[in-house]
Amino acid sequence: MGLAVPADGEAGSTVAKMDAGLTCWVETGDWRGQRMRRWGDAQSRVSYSPASKVFKEAVYLDEQYPELVEQAELILKKCSGLPLAIVTIGGFLANQPKTAVVWRRLNEHISAELEINQELGTILAVLTKSYDGLPYELKSCFLYLPIFPEDYKVSRRRLVRRWTAEGYSREVRGKSAEAIADNYFMDLISRSMILPHQQSIHSRKGIDACHVHDLIREIGVSKSIEENLVFRLEEGCSLNTQHTVRHLAISSNWEGNQNDLESIVDMSRVRSITVFGKWKSFYISDKIRLLRVLDLEGTSGVFDHHLKDIVKLLHLKYLSLRGCTPICHLPNSLGNLKQLETLDVRGTQIVKLPHSIRKLRKLNYLRAGKETIDEDISYEQVVEDLPMVMRNSPCLLTVSSMILCARCIADSDPNGSNHRDLCTAFCCVAFPVVSMKLDAHGIVVPRGVRKLKALHTLGVMNISRGRTILQNIRKLSGLRKLGVTGINKRNSQELRSTVAHLSRMESLSLRSEGMPGLSCCLDGISTPPENLQSLKLYGNLVTLPKWIQCLRNLVKLKLRNSRILDHSAAIQVLGKLPNLAILCLWMKSFEGKEVTFSFNQHAFPSLVVLHLDRLDALKLLDFSMGAAPKFEVLQLSETYIEGCNGLLNLPRLKEVVLKGGYTSVDGLRADLVEHPNRPVVKLN
């Protein structure tokens, strides 16, 4: 390990003389390859060379003090590239005993050390100035972040929706509160108060998640405690006084009971609860009737019977049960949550929404269905491999009934509520999916959803049971994002009319697995949404719909199981889309004995990312001179191709990601060695 620590006595005096206004650069980047540099303190612009002023004599820990290596790595992680932090902490440690105990103590109590230790005060002073320089509205957003654990990757969607529910942003002159909150997110990124953390290369917004620099997070924790905003209930937290806070975050390592909770936190003042770990029923009580945000994303131990207490929180604006897999049924009393704006039940077993959903007139964000859409669990896929004699409904109902009985009998606690929830899951999920031939990726929405005029995000919705629901959706003129599954020839005409009518649509996902899939269902959309930026088509197409070539603003396109035969013609059509930046061609999107993708001159003028996943027939990628001038990332997932020609013709190529295998990794690397950018090859 090459961490160099200043020799004893040399760094301390130098660091002490450093101006508290010293600045440092923090680099961030987005998927377009743009680089941004921001000052840690905009009021002072003093450049310095810490290496020449401080590190006069290096001590190499891995050779002289190997027992300190682990703690040194943790310290470097907390510094996370901030030169001022590295220099100051390095200077402080130079005058401390070089023992693991001393260095561990600094790691465990770094927040307190930054406040009370004069030698480390420079770091706190500079970072505090960055916080002090924030506008009022950004300070509120920043002080919200200590809710999430250290090193936690926070979804942009989740953060923006929560800020909106908390009232941190308001609609201004026709610009929605969510759009303004999204601007706050990017403002904090540009000021380096939060750092971009790419969740995937597939985000059309560029940055879809963030994390907070460890030392800057300490500022947020300190300030939020001063303002009585956030309290993290975790092992070892203060038990001396009852905390009056607005936001309660319950860590996975907290093992207290109801008495402990009520003795530590004044629950009557709490406005948001976020649970990281396992749910306990006493988290909801009569004392928290003014709760606005309940975020249980990824929380374990949440079952249907817990919801009867949750839906009594009449002031809720944000309810997330995302990833709570045991849940399969929402109570009809959900309609009592008249203030609800966000309902996220994605990743649960829910296949049908209650009729009372029509009462939620302020609801603007509704997400449901499976967490990942690339799983083949539709009705057609379930029965595809069964013998022909067993593919009729009576046989399937008999088999599913037998499974239901076996699972219920096998449960170890026949008197417990978990047993009832398990049986309910089969009755409300498995049985309907088989008997009604539903696609488990979507949900059945009741009639009357047209009354939810505030909706701008709806998905994934199952339309296989009739056309009435599409007539309802057509009246939601404010929809920006729509996900639909269960498309067939019976409802295809109504679907085409609905898509053409929703002129403000920005994101559209259409799915119909099995045969015939989407074939002949999407042809003839007269006026596709002019502002459409994201399009996902999952299911048999054979040929690309002609209206795709009219999508001048399309940024992201995903195809899966589309089984397109004329691949050359399809690539030429897609290559003419002026703003297409992300192209994902997944399993069976193209068919043929030997498929070749030729990127001709001037084709794909804005393409940045190409993701090829499980394309068995693909043999060759060929990039001509002048093709894809902005191309940066090539990702091959379980795609074995014989050659990739013309990589030298991609002037901005930065990264090649290989997941699951590649015919000749060495050959690919040899091609990239000559590239002036020296693109990185990543093997996952």
Side-chain angles (χ1 to χ4, degrees):
M1 176 177 170
L3 174 66
V5 178
D8 293 352
E10 292 190 356
S13 59
T14 304
V15 173
K17 294 178 182 178
M18 287 184 175
D19 187 337
L22 284 178
T23 57
C24 57
W25 290 102
V26 177
E27 285 196 346
T28 61
D30 61 8
W31 60 266
R32 293 184 184 277
Q34 299 169 340
R35 308 300 296 178
M36 298 179 292
R37 288 183 169 181
R38 298 289 174 186
W39 292 103
D41 172 14
Q43 298 176 355
S44 177
R45 304 197 174 189
V46 182
S47 62
Y48 65 98
S49 173
S52 63
K53 290 187 178 182
V54 179
F55 297 99
K56 296 179 180 179
E57 182 180 334
V59 175
Y60 292 92
L61 297 180
D62 50 356
E63 298 175 3
Q64 297 173 253
Y65 300 95
E67 69 277 10
L68 299 180
V69 169
E70 180 181 356
Q71 295 302 319
E73 288 177 342
L74 292 174
I75 291 171
L76 279 177
K77 176 182 168 297
K78 291 182 185 295
C79 294
S80 189
L82 289 179
L84 177 62
I86 295 172
V87 170
T88 308
I89 294 178
F92 171 72
L93 290 174
N95 295 314
Q96 301 296 313
K98 293 181 176 60
T99 64
V101 174
V102 173
W103 288 37
R104 186 183 302 112
R105 188 180 300 122
L106 175 65
N107 265 318
E108 293 175 351
H109 306 286
I110 191 153
S111 180
E113 291 289 343
L114 289 174
E115 290 188 21
I116 66 177
N117 195 305
Q118 292 183 353
E119 292 185 63
L120 301 181
T122 304
I123 302 173
L124 190 62
V126 171
L127 297 182
T128 301
K129 284 187 177 181
S130 296
Y131 167 79
D132 291 339
L134 293 175
Y136 173 78
E137 62 274 9
L138 292 187
K139 284 183 178 179
S140 299
C141 294
F142 175 72
L143 294 183
Y144 201 73
L145 290 165
I147 288 174
F148 302 96
E150 186 176 349
D151 297 328
Y152 194 87
K153 182 172 64 176
V154 188
S155 162
R156 179 176 184 171
R157 161 198 52 80
R158 186 180 186 182
L159 202 51
V160 166
R161 295 300 309 160
R162 289 189 55 155
W163 283 342
T164 304
E166 297 284 4
Y168 290 175
S169 61
R170 307 280 184 184
E171 181 177 346
V172 177
R173 296 180 182 177
K175 190 169 185 178
S176 69
E178 184 178 359
I180 291 176
D182 195 67
N183 288 343
Y184 291 164
F185 180 90
M186 292 308 299
D187 282 347
L188 288 174
I189 289 281
S190 68
R191 294 169 183 266
S192 297
M193 298 303 291
I194 59 177
L195 304 177
H197 190 140
Q198 287 295 110
Q199 185 175 346
S200 71
I201 61 174
H202 304 139
S203 173
R204 64 187 169 96
K205 289 188 175 182
I207 300 171
D208 56 4
C210 72
H211 67 281
V212 185
H213 187 290
D214 287 353
L215 294 181
I216 294 179
R217 183 177 182 275
E218 296 297 339
I219 303 293
V221 170
S222 176
K223 295 291 184 181
S224 66
I225 292 175
E226 289 179 13
E227 301 290 337
N228 293 325
L229 288 177
V230 178
F231 182 76
R232 290 193 55 80
L233 194 59
E234 55 192 349
E235 183 182 9
C237 64
S238 174
L239 306 178
N240 298 329
T241 58
Q242 189 179 56
H243 297 266
T244 302
V245 294
R246 295 180 64 83
H247 311 298
L248 175 63
I250 304 176
S251 301
S252 57
N253 61 8
W254 188 73
E255 299 293 341
N257 55 34
Q258 184 172 0
N259 291 333
D260 295 330
L261 175 63
E262 294 179 354
S263 66
I264 298 172
V265 180
D266 181 1
M267 298 299 291
S268 66
R269 303 293 185 91
V270 173
R271 296 296 180 267
S272 78
I273 294 179
T274 310
V275 180
F276 301 93
K278 189 173 183 179
W279 172 258
K280 297 178 182 178
S281 57
F282 63 79
Y283 292 159
I284 301 297
S285 67
D286 293 337
K287 296 181 179 181
I288 58 169
R289 293 308 180 194
L290 298 179
L291 198 71
R292 290 188 299 206
V293 171
L294 181 59
D295 192 342
L296 305 183
E297 182 169 333
T299 303
S300 62
V302 186
F303 293 94
D304 286 354
H305 65 275
H306 293 133
L307 300 183
K308 68 179 185 296
D309 293 323
I310 291 176
V311 295
K312 294 177 182 178
L313 302 171
L314 302 183
H315 294 274
L316 270 186
K317 292 187 175 183
Y318 179 104
L319 175 59
S320 176
L321 303 171
R322 189 176 184 127
C324 299
T325 31
I327 293 179
C328 61
H329 176 72
L330 290 174
N332 203 50
S333 52
L334 179 74
N336 295 332
L337 302 181
K338 301 294 179 60
Q339 304 302 316
L340 199 63
E341 298 174 357
T342 294
L343 177 61
D344 193 339
V345 294
R346 200 168 188 191
T348 66
Q349 303 299 322
I350 296 170
V351 296
K352 186 177 182 179
L353 292 177
H355 289 281
S356 62
I357 195 81
R358 298 172 294 185
K359 298 179 181 180
L360 307 182
R361 303 300 174 85
K362 294 186 178 181
L363 193 66
N364 54 49
Y365 184 96
L366 173 58
R367 295 300 303 272
K370 292 298 177 183
E371 189 72 33
T372 55
I373 200 167
D374 58 327
E375 301 174 15
D376 288 317
I377 58 172
S378 63
Y379 172 84
E380 291 84 355
Q381 296 294 327
V382 169
V383 303
E384 190 175 61
D385 297 327
L386 292 177
M388 185 64 67
V389 71
M390 294 182 62
R391 296 187 185 183
N392 59 78
S393 294
C395 286
L396 288 171
L397 290 174
T398 301
V399 172
S400 61
S401 299
M402 293 173 62
I403 295 174
L404 168 64
C405 294
R407 290 298 300 270
C408 288
I409 292 172
D411 192 274
S412 59
D413 181 17
N415 298 318
S417 57
N418 291 359
H419 171 81
R420 295 193 300 271
D421 289 329
L422 177 63
C423 294
T424 303
F426 277 91
C427 292
C428 298
V429 180
F431 210 76
V433 165
V434 174
S435 62
M436 294 190 294
K437 301 183 179 182
L438 296 179
D439 187 334
H441 281 292
I443 55 167
V444 176
V445 179
R447 296 182 180 181
V449 71
R450 65 182 182 278
K451 297 179 181 180
L452 304 181
K453 298 296 185 181
L455 267 182
H456 63 68
T457 297
L458 175 60
V460 175
M461 179 183 60
N462 195 313
I463 63 171
S464 61
R465 303 298 296 170
R467 294 174 291 181
T468 305
I469 184 60
L470 285 170
Q471 295 169 0
N472 274 250
I473 297 301
R474 193 182 310 166
K475 297 183 179 181
L476 300 177
S477 58
L479 271 183
R480 301 291 197 280
K481 187 170 186 176
L482 176 64
V484 171
T485 187
I487 301 168
N488 52 51
K489 289 188 177 180
R490 294 189 304 276
N491 57 35
S492 60
Q493 182 175 351
E494 203 70 47
L495 173 68
R496 293 193 294 268
S497 176
T498 300
V499 171
H501 189 78
L502 297 173
S503 59
R504 303 172 73 179
M505 190 77 63
E506 296 177 1
S507 177
L508 180 63
S509 174
L510 304 175
R511 173 189 169 102
S512 181
E513 297 291 357
M515 294 295 182
L518 297 174
S519 179
C520 302
C521 292
L522 303 182
D523 298 330
I525 295 181
S526 55
T527 53
E530 182 181 358
N531 297 320
L532 197 66
Q533 298 176 33
S534 175
L535 177 62
K536 303 173 186 177
L537 301 177
Y538 301 110
N540 186 50
L541 280 171
V542 183
T543 59
L544 276 179
K546 293 182 179 179
W547 51 268
I548 287 183
Q549 60 189 336
C550 302
L551 302 178
R552 311 296 293 175
N553 294 307
L554 193 68
V555 174
K556 179 173 70 173
L557 174 65
K558 288 185 180 180
L559 299 177
R560 176 182 171 277
N561 280 351
S562 48
R563 297 180 173 90
I564 295 173
L565 295 176
D566 194 346
H567 47 87
S568 296
I571 290 297
Q572 289 183 18
V573 169
L574 299 181
K576 295 178 181 179
L577 297 177
N579 290 298
L580 185 64
I582 302 170
L583 177 60
C584 302
L585 305 176
W586 291 356
M587 181 178 63
K588 298 180 182 178
S589 58
F590 286 76
E591 282 199 344
K593 292 184 178 180
E594 292 191 3
V595 176
T596 298
F597 290 162
S598 297
F599 294 75
N600 299 324
Q601 187 179 18
H602 305 308
F604 295 96
S606 299
L607 189 66
V608 177
V609 175
L610 175 63
H611 183 195
L612 307 176
D613 187 347
R614 290 169 288 177
L615 292 183
D616 298 334
L618 182 61
K619 300 300 180 183
L620 179 67
L621 285 176
D622 188 12
F623 296 93
S624 300
M625 179 70 72
K630 299 180 181 179
F631 189 75
E632 294 182 4
V633 179
L634 171 62
Q635 181 170 339
L636 303 175
S637 301
E638 299 182 34
T639 299
Y640 300 83
I641 62 177
E642 296 178 359
C644 190
N645 299 335
L647 293 179
L648 288 175
N649 295 328
L650 303 173
R652 295 192 182 182
L653 184 63
K654 293 180 178 179
E655 190 174 295
V656 177
V657 182
L658 306 177
K659 183 178 181 180
Y662 182 79
T663 304
S664 177
V665 175
D666 293 335
L668 179 63
R669 282 178 172 156
D671 292 340
L672 295 176
V673 165
E674 300 179 6
H675 199 287
N677 289 349
R678 295 296 178 91
V680 177
V681 178
K682 294 183 178 180
L683 302 177
N684 293 335

